[in-house]
Amino acid sequence: MTELLSIILAAGEGTRMRSALPKVLHPVGGLPIIGHVAQAARDAGSSQIALVTGPKHEAIRAAVSAMQPDVVHFEQTEAKGTAHAAAMARDLFAKAQGYVAVVYGDHPRLRGENFRVVLDRLDAGLDVAILGFEPKDPTGYGRFITDGETLLAIREHKDATEEERGIGLCNACILAFRADVFRELIDKVDNNNVQNEYYLGDLVGLANKAGKKVGFGIAPEDDVIGVNDRSQLAHAEALFQEMRRDDFMKAGVTLKDPGSVWFSYDTEIAQDVTIEPNVVFGPGVRIESGAVIHAFSHIEGAHVGPNSSVGPFARLRPGANLAEGAKIGNFVEIKQAEIGKGAKVSHLSYIGDASIGSEVNIGAGVITVNYDGYNKHRTNVGDNAFIGSNSSLVAPLTIGTSALVGSGSVITEDVEADALALGRSRQVNKPGRAKEIFAAAKAKKQNKKGL
């Protein structure tokens, strides 16, 4: 495969988002917009990725480096247009031997195959290939001026004539060049336009004047939508979710009410999993075959083993790891805990920083007391243990195999295997005392009314 340098442009301020968070860091499917673009570039075969950001975009640089550690950063100190921004990556494209693709960083639906549409045109002999699309409303987009399969120019909307504004084929978000052609032309772009900016699209006209072969490819509109405001962000999210739901159902996952289930970019679900309505998957979730996720559950950073059951109204937080056949019931929260094969945490419990063995029964209202105000501590429960309802397990703590904890206990010391542990005060009954208390309370209430 030909060497590919991808230059991602993310120097804009994104003011229409009206947010302290940079536009390209807003998530779609749990992944920042810029993360989708970087992954698409990588999937297209990019051997190098350059990221061009503005002077106050440390957060963008840090986020992309976390996702793509070998990305090379460049800064556009003054906002002078897209061609000026792309030129900031000179240290890389000056040495590039294959292709250079320049892509805008605010297109969360991009995939590697969108890059390949134009890269394949370069493979076929073109010097320049630009990705286009046909939007329902072309207002604001640069128009493709074509002659057959040749792209003659890209005319920005503000510079276009009324006749040119009637063109439906528009500039999308990927411009691909042979590296030598990009080097030859990038510094010839001028700012003789309404905005006084250096437009990347002007490279098309310059390439034609230089006798280069210039063409285009076309992508579906939904693949190349950009995000400039909250409405467009919501639209991108809706398209992403629709795609993921369809992908999962085609792969053998049952969605009882597809429109109410929300996925993340990295959600993994095996076939024959059933998902009931109103379930949300955050990042880092893997669900194995035969599991059932009941309604109104929230799962993030968790693994659900084969034939397990979760919910309804359950929350699995990062580090939750359910073995085969485990059951997590209603209003149960699991965090940083292993739940063994066939274990049951059926209702109203919190299990955090714990290892629960196989076939363990956790009664209603049981909590692991894992935090002392400064540090987290672990609770270990052996196989076949039974923890009675409304008990508190104060970590650090180990409860042995087949041990029994009586209901309502506060357990602060280790319990050996096969032992019965009781951690509660002895019950005392006082005959007639309840009647006296109720009578006194009633008299007090009547006295207040009399006043």
Side-chain angles (χ1 to χ4, degrees):
M1 181 180 291
T2 305
E3 179 183 308
L4 173 63
L5 163 65
S6 290
I7 303 172
I8 302 175
L9 305 184
E13 294 303 318
T15 54
R16 281 188 280 171
M17 293 296 289
R18 300 189 182 277
S19 174
L21 184 70
K23 175 176 72 171
V24 296
L25 291 187
H26 283 264
V28 172
L31 183 70
I33 293 171
I34 192 73
H36 288 277
V37 178
Q39 187 58 54
R42 187 67 75 196
D43 292 343
S46 299
S47 51
Q48 287 187 306
I49 296 177
L51 178 68
V52 182
T53 52
K56 297 180 180 180
H57 289 166
E58 293 85 357
I60 300 175
R61 293 188 281 272
V64 175
S65 290
M67 294 179 280
Q68 302 283 346
D70 59 347
V71 70
V72 182
H73 296 280
F74 298 93
E75 185 175 297
Q76 184 188 31
T77 55
E78 297 180 80
K80 294 183 177 181
T82 52
H84 179 263
M88 297 299 100
R90 189 177 307 276
D91 287 351
L92 287 188
F93 68 70
K95 298 175 286 187
Q97 296 300 310
Y99 302 151
V100 173
V102 185
V103 56
Y104 304 131
D106 57 356
H107 292 260
R109 292 271 295 149
L110 273 184
R111 292 171 286 170
E113 62 192 64
N114 302 127
F115 278 79
R116 292 311 319 173
V117 168
V118 287
L119 296 175
D120 288 348
R121 302 302 306 277
L122 299 185
D123 287 342
L126 292 184
D127 298 303
V128 179
I130 313 299
L131 189 66
F133 75 120
E134 298 177 283
K136 297 179 181 67
D137 180 5
T139 303
Y141 294 106
R143 305 306 204 280
F144 276 9
I145 312 299
T146 62
D147 181 7
E149 293 188 359
T150 299
L151 179 60
L152 301 176
I154 299 176
R155 194 82 71 233
E156 294 300 323
H157 181 88
K158 292 182 179 180
D159 300 307
T161 65
E162 285 302 315
E163 182 180 357
E164 289 171 337
R165 290 180 181 181
I167 296 171
L169 185 57
C170 299
N171 187 21
C173 52
I174 303 174
L175 302 92
F177 309 83
R178 294 188 182 277
D180 57 334
V181 172
F182 187 74
R183 281 191 294 271
E184 176 185 341
L185 300 177
I186 187 64
D187 291 327
K188 295 181 180 180
V189 178
D190 62 37
N191 63 345
N192 184 25
N193 52 65
V194 173
Q195 294 292 96
N196 292 317
E197 291 187 353
Y198 297 88
Y199 292 146
L200 197 59
D202 287 351
L203 285 169
V204 171
L206 292 170
N208 278 289
K209 288 180 181 178
K212 308 299 182 183
K213 298 177 182 177
V214 185
F216 58 93
I218 298 177
E221 180 177 6
D222 286 349
D223 284 6
V224 295
I225 61 169
V227 171
N228 291 300
D229 56 33
R230 305 285 182 146
S231 293
Q232 291 175 345
L233 180 67
H235 181 55
E237 183 72 50
L239 289 174
F240 172 87
Q241 295 299 333
E242 183 179 348
M243 176 191 70
R244 292 292 276 161
R245 293 163 188 150
D246 189 55
D247 287 346
F248 281 126
M249 287 188 287
K250 287 178 180 177
V253 177
T254 295
L255 304 181
K256 295 290 189 180
D257 180 18
S260 70
V261 180
W262 287 67
F263 298 101
S264 284
Y265 70 100
D266 60 350
T267 307
E268 298 179 30
I269 304 179
Q271 67 179 31
D272 294 323
V273 168
T274 297
I275 301 172
E276 293 183 355
N278 297 295
V279 172
V280 175
F281 295 97
V285 174
R286 182 164 61 95
I287 313 294
E288 295 197 50
S289 181
V292 177
I293 311 300
H294 295 283
F296 294 98
S297 294
H298 187 283
I299 304 176
E300 179 179 0
H303 163 252
V304 177
N307 304 310
S308 293
S309 175
V310 177
F313 295 98
R315 185 183 183 196
L316 302 186
R317 293 170 57 191
N321 184 8
L322 278 56
E324 182 177 1
K327 179 183 178 183
I328 304 301
N330 51 289
F331 303 104
V332 171
E333 180 178 348
I334 308 291
K335 188 270 297 184
Q336 289 292 340
E338 292 81 40
I339 309 299
K341 183 177 180 180
K344 297 179 177 62
V345 189
S346 294
H347 27 231
L348 303 165
S349 295
Y350 168 68
I351 305 297
D353 298 283
S355 294
I356 307 299
S358 63
E359 304 300 333
V360 169
N361 188 87
I362 303 290
V366 171
I367 61 171
T368 54
V369 186
N370 56 331
Y371 185 51
D372 63 8
Y374 296 94
N375 298 298
K376 297 289 181 68
H377 302 281
R378 289 194 70 80
T379 297
N380 298 296
V381 179
D383 297 345
N384 299 299
F386 186 99
I387 311 299
S389 297
N390 205 35
S391 293
S392 296
L393 309 180
V394 183
L397 186 68
T398 296
I399 296 174
T401 300
S402 300
L404 171 62
V405 172
S407 298
S409 294
V410 177
I411 303 299
T412 59
E413 298 179 3
D414 290 351
V415 180
E416 62 268 29
D418 299 311
L420 167 64
L422 298 169
R424 60 190 184 216
S425 299
R426 183 178 295 277
Q427 180 173 322
V428 177
N429 294 342
K430 296 184 177 292
R433 183 61 178 142
K435 184 177 181 180
E436 296 174 6
I437 292 172
F438 291 144
K442 183 177 180 181
K444 186 176 181 180
K445 186 175 182 180
Q446 289 175 337
N447 288 338
K448 284 185 176 181
K449 288 182 178 180
L451 293 175

